[in-house]
Amino acid sequence: MSALFPTYARWDIAPEKGLGAKLIDGNGKEYLDFISGIAVCNLGHCHPKVISAVEQQLNKLWHVSNLFQIKGQEEVAQILVEHSDGDYVFFCNSGAEANEAAIKLARKATGKHHIVSLRNSFHGRTLGSMAATGQDKIHQGFGPLLTEFTYVEMNDVAALQNAVTEKTAAVMVEVIQGEGGIRLMNEQYAEALKQVCDHYGCLLIIDEVQTGIGRTGTTFAYKQLNLSPDIVTVAKGLGNGFPVGALIGKESLKEAFSPGSHGSTFGGNPLAMAAAKAVLQEVFKPEMLQSVQEKGEWFKAELEQKLSKFKIVEEVRGKGFMIGIACETEVAPIISACIEEGLLVLPAGPKVLRILPPLVTTQNELERASEILTTVFSKVEQKQSVNS
């Protein structure tokens, strides 16, 4: 009997080792891992430069607390601000912590409490980040949430304009909703976001926990929509599997996060910073980002072409290596069939298949995944036709 709380519906797979986009279980079965730890292992499993950086730091220093100067924090923060619209960074351990910090910072900096976020969003499972999440299923069973959150539909400009007022501290969004079904923000809505925030003097918070660190083919996904957020939150891909998160904020917010206003015991520890620095030095290379753009466009077009013949497929959507296949039916049996064929994918809601390859995935691996998906959809559709 397991001594673990049953908070996860775990698959019957026990991975033992991995390399790049490959994952091998205890029985020796090899999988193409197009989950990447849920958009975490952007450089794939056991990337040599990340391993080397962490090993070197392991033999120097693990932890001292944020009472001390930590050189790695300054180095990683500098890279993040150079590639974003922010000026200062706060380090923590996860995306939920980064979003919790963003909520606190927005309320403290503006003196206001109302925050507008999007339906189908996902920002974490702490009480604050859960309140920002526009999904009832995440809220159920936990009693009263943090108050003064309003949820509006992605890409509904009128709803956004009606929700934001002089009392609004911030608008908090994902430009591509990951858990919410790989839903993309359009340019019209992005422009409305800028106008509304400027008009009411509220902050724009962009959650890049899943979309950031090269996942969509740019350093951050918001750059593809010409936005300039006041706060950006990142985690997942930042450490390639080592727990680390960060909040990036503009100069005007510096005084609101003065000494004693917020903190994290393990945030920005030397090991996490070693991993993050190695990741950023690789992922933010122009040639790496260009590769993700090109391969992502090819893969999406390939899936559109091959899967369009199946009636159960409604749409293939996404950016870079963040792709969703929207289906007419629930995707659970499709995922099970993919696992049998040696391809790991996951859902984004009951009817969307989510595909998150490592950024280092090869062309041959993408072609193999395309073949498996085509085979699986063919078998699933045939089975459904027989049963009907």
Side-chain angles (χ1 to χ4, degrees):
M1 178 180 286
S2 174
L4 298 171
F5 271 112
T7 51
Y8 303 100
R10 298 180 191 270
W11 297 348
D12 190 21
I13 301 174
E16 286 204 354
K17 57 183 177 180
L19 183 64
K22 293 185 175 69
L23 200 62
I24 302 169
D25 70 13
N27 298 317
K29 182 173 179 177
E30 187 175 286
Y31 300 87
L32 266 180
D33 182 6
F34 277 30
I35 297 175
S36 302
I38 313 182
V40 168
C41 299
N42 285 7
L43 288 175
H45 299 287
C46 296
H47 192 280
K49 292 192 176 178
V50 181
I51 290 174
S52 176
V54 174
E55 282 183 340
Q56 289 181 43
Q57 189 59 51
L58 273 170
N59 292 309
K60 292 179 180 179
L61 190 67
W62 292 23
H63 178 78
V64 292
S65 92
N66 284 297
L67 294 172
F68 296 88
Q69 301 290 329
I70 299 174
K71 181 182 177 183
Q73 288 191 14
E74 295 290 349
E75 294 172 337
V76 176
Q78 190 60 41
I79 298 172
L80 288 172
V81 300
E82 285 175 358
H83 290 88
S84 70
D85 286 53
D87 301 290
Y88 293 95
V89 177
F90 170 82
F91 288 110
C92 51
N93 307 286
S94 69
E97 287 184 36
N99 285 328
E100 194 80 16
I103 293 165
K104 287 181 65 175
L105 178 56
R107 290 171 64 137
K108 191 166 189 288
T110 63
K112 297 180 283 188
H113 306 139
H114 178 237
I115 294 176
V116 175
S117 61
L118 302 182
R119 297 195 185 279
N120 299 306
S121 60
F122 183 82
H123 299 292
R125 294 182 184 274
T126 59
L127 283 173
S129 61
M130 182 172 66
T133 295
Q135 296 190 54
D136 289 340
K137 68 179 182 180
I138 304 298
H139 303 161
Q140 290 172 4
F142 294 103
L145 300 176
L146 187 66
T147 59
E148 298 193 58
F149 278 89
T150 299
Y151 311 118
V152 297
E153 291 290 341
M154 165 94 83
N155 296 328
D156 186 335
V157 171
L160 174 69
Q161 293 171 335
N162 290 334
V164 180
T165 71
E166 292 88 351
K167 296 182 179 180
T168 303
V171 181
M172 188 173 188
V173 302
E174 302 157 281
V175 296
I176 302 178
Q177 292 182 330
E179 303 291 330
I182 315 298
R183 302 170 189 269
L184 281 69
M185 182 180 292
N186 62 38
E187 293 182 1
Q188 180 186 9
Y189 196 77
E191 184 60 34
L193 268 178
K194 290 191 289 186
Q195 293 176 0
V196 165
C197 289
D198 286 346
H199 179 76
Y200 288 104
C202 58
L203 303 178
L204 175 58
I205 303 171
I206 298 186
D207 177 340
E208 291 264 5
V209 170
Q210 190 163 155
T211 55
I213 319 299
R215 170 60 48 188
T216 66
T218 47
T219 53
F220 300 100
Y222 76 79
K223 289 182 174 285
Q224 299 178 44
L225 287 169
N226 195 32
L227 291 168
S228 181
D230 299 282
I231 297 172
V232 178
T233 56
V234 294
K236 288 189 178 286
L238 181 58
N240 210 64
F242 201 102
V244 59
L247 175 152
I248 310 167
K250 287 188 173 178
E251 167 76 36
S252 59
L253 304 173
K254 179 183 178 183
E255 295 307 314
F257 260 11
S258 56
S261 59
H262 195 51
S264 170
T265 296
F266 299 110
N269 69 78
L271 290 173
M273 293 299 93
K277 182 181 176 182
V279 167
L280 295 176
Q281 287 176 332
E282 289 299 303
V283 172
F284 284 1
K285 287 179 178 177
E287 58 268 29
M288 171 68 83
L289 297 172
Q290 183 67 27
S291 172
V292 174
Q293 290 177 29
E294 292 174 356
K295 288 180 180 178
E297 288 173 5
W298 178 88
F299 190 48
K300 180 170 173 284
E302 176 79 354
L303 293 179
E304 287 173 335
Q305 189 271 321
K306 285 195 169 184
L307 303 184
S308 61
K309 61 186 176 184
F310 301 117
K311 294 179 181 179
I312 59 174
V313 175
E314 293 181 342
E315 181 187 13
V316 179
R317 57 191 183 229
K319 291 278 189 180
F321 276 176
M322 186 174 183
I323 294 175
I325 302 173
C327 301
E328 291 183 353
T329 59
E330 295 197 357
V331 297
I334 299 172
I335 292 171
S336 296
C338 284
I339 292 172
E340 287 294 320
E341 295 289 337
L343 175 66
L344 302 178
V345 291
L346 72 162
K351 294 185 178 182
V352 179
L353 199 69
R354 184 170 23 160
I355 304 173
L356 303 166
L359 308 189
V360 296
T361 301
T362 67
Q363 184 68 25
N364 286 341
E365 288 167 337
L366 291 173
E367 291 171 4
R368 176 61 182 147
S370 174
E371 292 171 2
I372 292 173
L373 285 164
T374 304
T375 299
V376 165
F377 271 96
S378 178
K379 289 180 178 179
V380 170
E381 189 157 279
Q382 287 175 14
K383 185 176 182 180
Q384 290 183 351
S385 178
V386 170
N387 292 338
S388 63

